[in-house]
Amino acid sequence: AMMSYPDPTPSSTDRAVLLDILERSGLFAGLDLQQLASLADSMDLVTFHKGDVIGAEGAIANHLFVLVEGSANMLKRINADDPTSESVLLLTLGKGQYIGESPLLEGVPFTATLVAATEPTRALRLAHDAFRVLVRSNPVIAESLLRGLSSELRAFRRVLAATLWTPIEAARRNSLTHNHDRDAPTTTPAKKTPQAIRMAVFDFMIHERASFEAAVDRFRASTPEFADGSYVLEVAYFEAKLDASTVVLAAGSHAVCVFVNDTVTAEVLTMLSTQGVRLVALRCAGFDRVDLKAAAALGIAVTHVPAYSPYAVAEFATTLAMTLNRKVVMATGRVRQGNFSLHGLVGFDMYGKTVGVVGTGKIGQCLIKIMLGFGCRILCYDAYPSAQVASWPGCTYVTLDELLAQSKLISLHCPLTPETRHLINAETLAKTQRGVVLINTSRGALVDTRALIDALKSGHVAGAGLDVYENEQSLFFEDHSFEAVPDDAYSRLLSFPNVIATGHQAFLTEEALDKIAEVTLLNLLEAVVHKVPTAKLVNGVSA
């Protein structure tokens, strides 16, 4: 229930501040001081304590609230039909922001719950009945409200107009400056107007161009709904990563396609929802940067590409391991300088060694098969053990502590979750044998970088092959060769001769790129065209 505490009549100074807030709120732009005062006289100044519910989701709202002090959190249930469902934070509103303008039209419920976030939180409250009386007696105020709402609508229309999805406009806005509809027919069937399906692709990189565009062409030609002219697929590509500052580029789209370092927070999802986006299609396996609870609350489906090429990643992990073990980088550098000494280049046989595999999904299983081919003994750890893997000769599921203690080589292939963040830390590294080799081609934040640096300095860790890094979003997939690396911890890692670091390229094969594009488009077809419920999406992910 809503709890409010009417304030005493404000002083003249306070009143001037309140009138200024009303004027700046945008709803009542254009009112003179006398009209604003008349409006303020019809409103209550109320105080809420931290945690008080200002308006409840689903309840019929009959007040407009304009915040004048403090802040309020906008929460939305993951399952709107279940009053006991968990709620997620979408936005935090501050001074001058408002909620409840739609409920001024009688019978409209709150679409989210508003909760006071500070102590105190104060707001001007206008009752629906009082508003109707005010409008009837003072039409100028009604006109002002319409102007305010119209101004916001025009602003949104300008944004929409700036991102119209005609092929010419998409090509003009595309920072890669190439024609995405070069093979489009010059004439279209006259029988019916096809329905456009629009997708905005963020963090689009030059190495993806050929495979993704070819997949789009094949999809248009081979998918019946598009081949027969019922639908047309319009794709716009943006080099920019998706975040709160670039979300405007998705205006008018049905889906956004994002990569590993795009930011898909509750705030971004809320803005995407207001722009009509119904699908976040990840063209990668990981989804740790997507607020899945907020997506569910907003009715936005989330899909990913769970297995684009497990072989690519497993083979790359093996490459890192063998390159470290046999000191290939060091040896190559010496030979180029005319130094053919073998001092310091001694490695070890993989045959007979114990390899620890953390995470036995598709990639982990591919690595296990490779290591079994070397003649290794395999220790496995996974929160959900595979009966198939357990049946393989030479493979044994053990506890994480047992794996750490017995493995000469440890390779990480598990997802990043709150439970696995910094799985490799000072405490777990201390449990490994001296001279262990660590490989990470999964997610950077599985490893506590500072703890790894200390273990490398002490010699406890003999080598580390890292294709990922916990703070990679500010570094990877960009050219920083003309500047100092702005991350001190990463620079320190790069200074070790027994560290091989690459820029999240383990997946990067022709086959993987083709599969990523193909599955991403099939996810779009299923979620947007066929409108399959989120829970039944083949590659859907949920909280």
Side-chain angles (χ1 to χ4, degrees), residues 78 86 90 127-128 194 212 214 269 280 315 384 387-388 421 444:
I78 295 176
E86 179 185 356
L90 298 181
H128 173 263
F212 205 93
L269 286 163
V280 173
E315 290 167 6
Y384 304 95
Q388 180 185 20
R421 181 174 293 276

Side-chain angles (χ1 to χ4, degrees), residues 4-309:
S4 62
Y5 308 88
D7 287 359
T9 303
S11 66
S12 59
T13 301
D14 288 340
R15 185 175 178 80
V17 172
L18 297 180
L19 295 181
D20 181 65
I21 291 173
L22 279 178
E23 183 179 23
R24 293 174 182 273
S25 70
L27 274 178
F28 303 104
L31 290 186
D32 59 29
L33 187 60
Q34 182 178 355
Q35 292 162 342
L36 285 171
S38 177
L39 175 65
D41 288 340
S42 300
M43 305 179 82
D44 297 323
L45 179 61
V46 294
T47 295
F48 299 92
H49 295 308
K50 185 176 181 180
D52 285 350
V53 175
I54 299 173
E57 180 179 357
I60 299 301
N62 49 19
H63 289 87
L64 164 72
F65 294 93
V66 181
L67 293 178
V68 298
E69 182 181 345
S71 60
N73 290 331
M74 185 180 293
L75 309 171
K76 190 168 179 61
R77 293 194 296 267
I78 295 176
N79 183 350
D81 297 326
D82 180 6
T84 65
S85 173
E86 179 185 356
S87 293
V88 294
L89 174 64
L90 298 181
L91 295 171
T92 297
L93 305 180
K95 186 170 72 172
Q97 293 183 291
Y98 52 86
I99 186 173
E101 71 279 10
S102 295
L104 289 174
L105 305 172
E106 192 169 10
V108 180
F110 277 115
T111 57
T113 296
L114 195 67
V115 178
T118 54
E119 181 66 42
T121 297
R122 302 170 74 205
L124 285 170
R125 181 178 64 184
L126 176 62
H128 173 263
D129 291 340
F131 175 74
R132 287 203 297 176
V133 171
L134 185 66
V135 167
R136 287 170 180 166
S137 61
N138 197 336
V140 175
I141 292 180
E143 293 173 8
S144 174
L145 177 61
L146 289 175
R147 281 198 301 271
L149 294 175
S150 297
S151 177
E152 293 189 358
L153 179 59
R154 285 195 299 273
F156 180 74
R157 288 176 64 187
R158 284 195 295 271
V159 169
L160 193 59
T163 50
L164 283 176
W165 290 82
T166 62
I168 295 175
E169 183 68 3
R172 185 187 70 79
R173 292 189 60 82
N174 178 18
S175 54
L176 298 181
T177 61
H178 59 279
N179 181 12
H180 305 294
D181 292 279
R182 58 190 183 282
D183 298 325
T186 56
T187 61
T188 56
K191 289 185 178 180
K192 61 179 179 179
T193 302
Q195 180 178 342
I197 300 297
R198 305 179 181 100
M199 179 169 68
V201 182
F202 286 86
D203 201 10
F204 190 68
M205 289 168 274
I206 194 66
H207 67 260
E208 300 178 88
R209 175 178 171 177
S211 60
F212 205 93
E213 288 192 325
V216 169
D217 289 342
R218 290 194 301 271
F219 180 81
R220 286 170 172 156
S222 63
T223 306
E225 293 89 341
F226 291 86
D228 67 10
S230 299
Y231 292 87
V232 292
L233 176 61
E234 298 175 2
V235 185
Y237 302 88
F238 302 101
E239 287 183 343
K241 292 179 174 64
L242 176 64
D243 58 28
S245 66
T246 60
V247 67
V248 66
L249 297 172
S253 62
H254 299 89
V256 294
C257 181
V258 299
F259 198 47
V260 293
N261 289 323
D262 289 281
T263 303
V264 195
T265 59
E267 179 187 11
V268 170
L269 286 163
T270 301
M271 290 188 279
L272 288 173
S273 178
T274 63
Q275 295 176 172
V277 171
R278 307 320 305 159
L279 171 68
V280 173
L282 292 145
R283 57 186 192 279
C284 56
F287 45 84
D288 50 279
R289 293 179 65 82
V290 180
D291 190 327
L292 296 177
K293 292 182 178 179
L298 292 163
I300 296 177
V302 180
T303 60
H304 70 149
V305 184
Y308 31 88
S309 177

